[in-house]
Amino acid sequence: MAEEISEKLPFISYGRQSIDQDDVDAVSRVLFSDWLTTGPKVTEFEEKIAAFVGARFGVAVNSGTAALHAAMYALGIGPGDEVIVPAMTFAATANAVVYQGGRPVFVDVEAETLLISSADVERLISARTKAIVAVDYAGQPCDYEALRAIADLHGLALVADGCHSLGASENGNPVGTLADMTVFSFHPVKHITTGEGGMIVSDNEEFAAKMQRFRNHGISTDHFKRQKEGTWHYEMVELGFNYRISDILCALGISQLQKLPGWLARRRAIAERYDLEFQDHTAVTPLSVRSGVEHAYHLYVVQLAKGVSREKVFRDMRQAGIGVNVHYVPVHMHPFYRNNFGTAPGLCPVAEEAYERVLSLPMHQGLSDDDVQRVTRALWEALK
Ligand SMILES: *Cc1c(COP(=O)(O)O)cnc(C)c1O
């Protein structure tokens, strides 16, 4: 009987895009225009995201992963270099270091926030360390003040993986201004989407120029030279990739960006409802939010008390049509890293323990108050 009922209720996914007719129209206009790719919508999207987050430059690419790769390239990461990366993230954060031949050094996270532990970062710095990549897990900015101090003291670059935190801020300073480079993703589960897409924002002109070449095979577009040597002339000055994003996708991104402030407000309102629901319970503890932080709530993550079977809660909620999820398998636990970098359980104990207890509840702007109530009811039911 219970199953019959749950089948009639729509499935509530943990994250989901919102697309309206304005988005469709914006994409259609580009389809009938002269530029499907490498045209004006790419530049417009870059400028609008950069302006939104308060950065000077934006470089759009075709995924958040490509954006991370471009950032590692701009820093000149190569064989022999180490980059400090938190264990509690999506694998792409570390993979980007490996693409460049570097070694990701996994750092543990703080138990209450699952954000990179600054104290542990300091312990892991070696003569080979070139950069720190901080991940704004769930949508809350890391302690960039502390990270900046460490980076400056040791002459390291600081990169923010802001794939969860577009629209977040720390003491009034937006994500996008808190590191040397900040990376965003426009995958459908993220705040705004281009289907697939990503961007790096930075105030550093040299980094931006490097990444513009990197996404386009390493080809320089030196207009002065072209004029002198003929308009056909171009030079491939370094090895790059085709990481370009199309105007079709950027038109969608521009249209989505207009709605982002309202969506952020809705995500925060949903988080407040969840917070209220869980405030007097010991079985379910939401992650702590640092003071001075404006959270972007890509995810709403709770930690289940020890002794609660996450497995059962997960299964029961999925059965009830609630798309809970688990973010993330600590990256150093993946076979690829164990086999190629010798990582093993015990390397980042806080992340490993959290992994056993975390649960991501549905969080996106399309959820109604009734949906949120369905989620919490299903959770209490599963905990019985
Ligand atoms: C989504 C995500 C990425 C990768 O973005 P894609 O656009 O899917 O390539 C990288 N890091 C984190 C933390 C993410 O959440």
Side-chain angles (χ1 to χ4, degrees):
M1 187 64 195
E3 258 182 41
E4 250 171 61
I5 292 166
S6 74
E7 261 168 23
K8 283 180 198 137
L9 291 168
F11 185 79
I12 301 177
S13 53
Y14 88 86
R16 192 188 146 77
Q17 73 279 8
S18 306
I19 301 288
D20 65 13
Q21 192 59 43
D22 288 344
D23 296 323
V24 175
D25 292 345
V27 169
S28 300
R29 281 194 296 276
V30 169
L31 285 171
F32 287 112
S33 80
D34 291 336
W35 296 92
L36 297 191
T37 192
T38 329
K41 287 295 168 194
V42 177
T43 314
E44 185 184 337
F45 188 41
E46 289 174 335
E47 287 172 358
K48 286 193 165 152
I49 290 282
F52 182 81
V53 303
R56 281 182 70 201
F57 305 103
V59 179
V61 289
N62 55 19
S63 71
T65 304
L68 284 162
H69 187 188
M72 291 302 109
Y73 177 80
L75 293 177
I77 301 303
D81 292 338
E82 293 179 356
V83 177
I84 296 175
V85 174
M88 185 51 82
T89 184
F90 183 53
T93 315
N95 295 352
V97 179
V98 181
Y99 294 159
Q100 283 298 111
R103 168 181 282 269
V105 172
F106 295 101
V107 59
D108 214 342
V109 291
E110 306 276 2
E112 294 78 28
T113 59
L114 306 187
L115 297 175
I116 190 167
S117 157
S118 312
D120 287 350
V121 166
E122 205 139 29
R123 284 195 302 105
L124 292 169
I125 292 171
S126 79
R128 293 170 182 271
T129 309
K130 289 281 151 54
I132 304 164
V133 182
V135 175
D136 297 336
Y137 181 82
Q140 117 161 276
C142 300
D143 186 351
Y144 284 98
E145 218 170 290
L147 292 168
R148 179 89 267 167
I150 295 167
D152 287 352
L153 184 67
H154 298 273
L156 311 177
L158 179 58
V159 174
D161 180 337
C163 290
H164 293 189
S165 60
L166 179 62
S169 65
E170 187 194 32
N171 300 320
N173 302 311
V175 167
T177 63
L178 303 169
D180 298 316
M181 281 184 272
T182 303
V183 167
F184 297 116
S185 163
F186 308 119
H187 181 277
V189 298
K190 306 294 163 67
H191 295 86
I192 63 168
T193 192
T194 57
E196 297 278 3
M199 198 180 295
I200 315 93
V201 297
S202 178
D203 285 346
N204 185 313
E205 192 163 14
E206 200 181 310
F207 288 162
K210 265 197 131 165
M211 293 186 290
Q212 277 161 359
R213 285 196 297 276
F214 185 69
R215 72 170 168 195
N216 189 30
H217 309 281
I219 291 171
S220 67
T221 28
D222 186 332
H223 295 289
F224 180 73
K225 236 182 174 170
R226 279 197 185 189
Q227 207 146 39
K228 210 175 105 200
E229 301 185 21
T231 49
W232 63 84
H233 185 266
Y234 66 85
E235 280 177 332
M236 191 199 119
V237 292
E238 54 205 323
L239 185 64
F241 289 77
N242 179 353
Y243 277 164
R244 296 186 308 255
I245 187 170
S246 70
D247 282 58
I248 304 166
L249 299 186
C250 289
L252 177 56
I254 293 163
S255 178
Q256 292 259 301
L257 181 59
Q258 294 180 340
K259 288 164 270 194
L260 179 57
W263 289 349
L264 286 164
R266 179 61 192 153
R267 283 172 182 270
R268 287 169 186 145
I270 292 167
E272 220 169 289
R273 282 181 174 262
Y274 280 141
D275 286 347
L276 270 174
E277 182 81 18
F278 304 135
Q279 67 182 350
D280 295 322
H281 293 272
T282 48
V284 180
T285 310
L287 295 184
S288 308
V289 180
R290 301 172 50 237
S291 73
V293 152
E294 251 214 295
H295 205 304
Y297 288 108
H298 161 56
L299 301 174
Y300 188 92
V301 176
V302 297
Q303 304 204 65
L304 301 177
K306 279 176 199 159
V308 172
S309 165
R310 201 254 318 266
E311 173 93 34
K312 177 193 178 290
V313 171
F314 186 94
R315 205 178 339 107
D316 286 2
M317 289 189 78
R318 281 288 179 99
Q319 206 119 58
I322 311 295
V324 287
N325 220 317
V326 172
H327 299 93
Y328 292 95
V329 178
V331 183
H332 67 284
M333 303 286 279
H334 287 298
F336 172 81
Y337 284 101
R338 291 202 201 193
N339 296 335
N340 293 285
F341 292 89
T343 57
L347 186 65
C348 298
V350 179
E352 289 165 35
E353 210 218 298
Y355 165 60
E356 304 290 334
R357 295 167 51 202
V358 287
L359 193 68
S360 301
L361 303 182
M363 169 56 82
H364 57 88
Q365 58 273 349
L367 295 177
S368 67
D369 292 350
D370 285 349
D371 291 333
V372 174
Q373 196 171 58
R374 231 185 97 196
V375 172
T376 51
R377 281 196 182 145
L379 178 56
W380 295 132
E381 198 59 37
L383 283 164
K384 273 183 190 163

